[in-house]
Amino acid sequence: MNPFILSMMISNLALGTIITAASYHWFMAWVGLEVNTLAIIPILAKQHHPRATEAATKYFIIQMMASSIILFSSIFNAYHTGTWDITQLTTHPTPSLLTIALAMKLGLVPMHFWLPEVMQGVNTMTALIITTWQKLPPMFLLYLTANQLPMVILLLLAISSTLISGWSGLNQTQLRKIMAYSSIGHLGWMFAILSSSQKLLLFTLTMYLLMTIPIFLILITSTTKTIKDLGMLWTTSPTSCTMTMIIFMALGGLPPLSGFLPKWLILEELITNHLIPLATTLTLTSLLSLMFYMRLTYITTLTV
């Protein structure tokens, strides 16, 4: 892709996110989401490969469906309330529709099937954008509307996402698919705390980004794509191999690493709010994710 066109697409990608984050009007938030989606489609398809084209098509269809639901729910809410304010979700079906649409955009279970396939069809740098930057616009909208979203749906999405992501990640050999399921699992934890503590939501999102970006940068610089390649990382860069092991264990939430802190705080908040069954379920389901992270760590150490 021409560098000028690529820089323009990246600028529009940032612009769409900024528009959504700064909006208090549903229509402007929707415009920001559309600009963001249309800007990343050429980036997804820039490889001129059938798998990249398929990934871009899947991403476009899913994002357009989710955006249509968001626009419909906002119009429905504005028709009954007379306001387009994002924080005024008083009409009954609107919060549920909005939650489902944003979960679809993020790739939570059961609307998660597109995320691993799209990430496998693009290069590692584009997969990094999908798992980090593209999560920000929907998370901004969730943050603004957190107190009005249906808690039952949020908790069901959280439990199913942590369970399915851990279970599905166990039999994967492609690192981009593993990172996709890692994203789904961490988003499940964020949805679990969404209605209880928005500050803790932002902290968990920040920690997820700080752990995910370095692991992708290591995969990009070492051209590592599969678990087999990961086993040869020590021979090319011992430093990168050591950092990879530490980050994988942190992503799994293994104490005393940084990834354990947000999960610990989330469990403490849930127990404080008398949601002990939910905290117990999240803890047990996260053991599956920890298992495949430790599996990756073990494979990385085979050549040490």
Side-chain angles (χ1 to χ4, degrees):
M1 182 181 290
N2 186 290
F4 175 75
I5 297 176
L6 180 61
S7 62
M8 185 176 67
M9 291 296 104
I10 294 175
S11 299
N12 287 329
L13 199 67
L15 177 63
T17 303
I18 293 171
I19 291 174
T20 301
S23 296
Y24 281 91
H25 191 285
W26 271 117
F27 184 75
M28 290 304 299
W30 176 79
V31 169
L33 291 173
E34 292 303 294
V35 171
N36 183 272
T37 300
L38 293 175
I40 199 175
I41 296 301
I43 299 176
L44 295 176
K46 69 178 181 178
Q47 288 181 296
H48 303 293
H49 188 274
R51 295 204 64 178
T53 305
E54 179 186 356
T57 304
K58 288 180 179 178
Y59 188 86
F60 176 77
I61 292 173
I62 293 295
Q63 297 298 316
M64 287 300 105
M65 288 175 59
S67 295
S68 300
I69 297 174
I70 292 173
L71 185 62
F72 170 76
S73 62
S74 59
I75 292 174
F76 188 83
N77 185 71
Y79 178 78
H80 285 86
T81 62
T83 178
W84 286 81
D85 191 345
I86 287 179
T87 58
Q88 300 298 321
L89 297 177
T90 55
T91 309
H92 175 60
T94 302
S96 301
L97 289 174
L98 179 65
T99 304
I100 293 171
L102 293 176
M104 186 185 298
K105 274 188 166 294
L106 291 168
L108 270 80
V109 176
M111 292 83 68
H112 70 289
F113 297 101
W114 64 271
L115 183 58
E117 297 302 323
V118 168
M119 287 187 61
Q120 184 60 29
V122 299
N123 59 35
T124 312
M125 178 59 74
T126 308
L128 170 61
I129 297 175
I130 294 173
T131 52
T132 54
W133 187 263
Q134 290 302 97
K135 305 297 183 188
L136 296 181
M139 292 305 295
F140 285 137
L141 293 178
L142 287 168
Y143 177 82
L144 291 174
T145 59
N147 294 325
Q148 303 177 65
L149 299 179
M151 190 172 182
V152 175
I153 296 179
L154 292 176
L155 298 185
L156 286 175
L157 289 171
I159 293 173
S160 58
S161 295
T162 53
L163 176 62
I164 299 300
S165 65
W167 192 268
S168 301
L170 287 174
N171 62 345
Q172 299 297 326
T173 59
Q174 298 291 329
L175 290 175
R176 279 168 292 181
K177 282 191 175 183
I178 290 175
M179 294 308 297
Y181 288 115
S182 171
S183 172
I184 295 169
H186 281 85
L187 287 171
W189 281 87
M190 295 178 205
F191 266 58
I193 200 62
L194 181 60
S195 58
S196 302
S197 174
Q198 287 75 54
K199 291 182 179 179
L200 191 51
L201 167 70
L202 293 179
F203 176 70
T204 307
L205 178 61
T206 303
M207 292 302 299
Y208 165 73
L209 295 176
L210 291 177
M211 291 184 292
T212 302
I213 292 174
I215 195 68
F216 267 104
L217 293 179
I218 292 173
L219 297 180
I220 291 169
T221 54
S222 61
T223 63
T224 303
K225 295 181 180 180
T226 65
I227 291 180
K228 183 179 179 181
D229 298 335
L230 196 63
M232 302 300 295
L233 188 58
W234 178 266
T235 59
T236 57
S237 177
T239 304
S240 297
C241 182
T242 305
M243 291 299 299
T244 301
M245 290 187 289
I246 295 173
I247 296 172
F248 276 141
M249 289 187 288
L251 281 169
L254 192 69
L257 299 174
S258 57
F260 172 69
L261 182 58
K263 293 183 178 180
W264 182 24
L265 294 175
I266 288 174
L267 292 176
E268 183 182 8
E269 182 71 22
L270 293 176
I271 293 172
T272 303
N273 292 330
H274 307 290
L275 295 172
I276 297 177
L278 174 62
T280 305
T281 304
L282 287 176
T283 304
L284 293 176
T285 54
S286 67
L287 293 178
L288 290 170
S289 299
L290 180 60
M291 186 180 294
F292 75 71
Y293 285 122
M294 295 307 296
R295 173 170 164 254
L296 291 174
T297 305
Y298 172 73
I299 293 172
T300 308
T301 60
L302 286 180
T303 55
V304 178

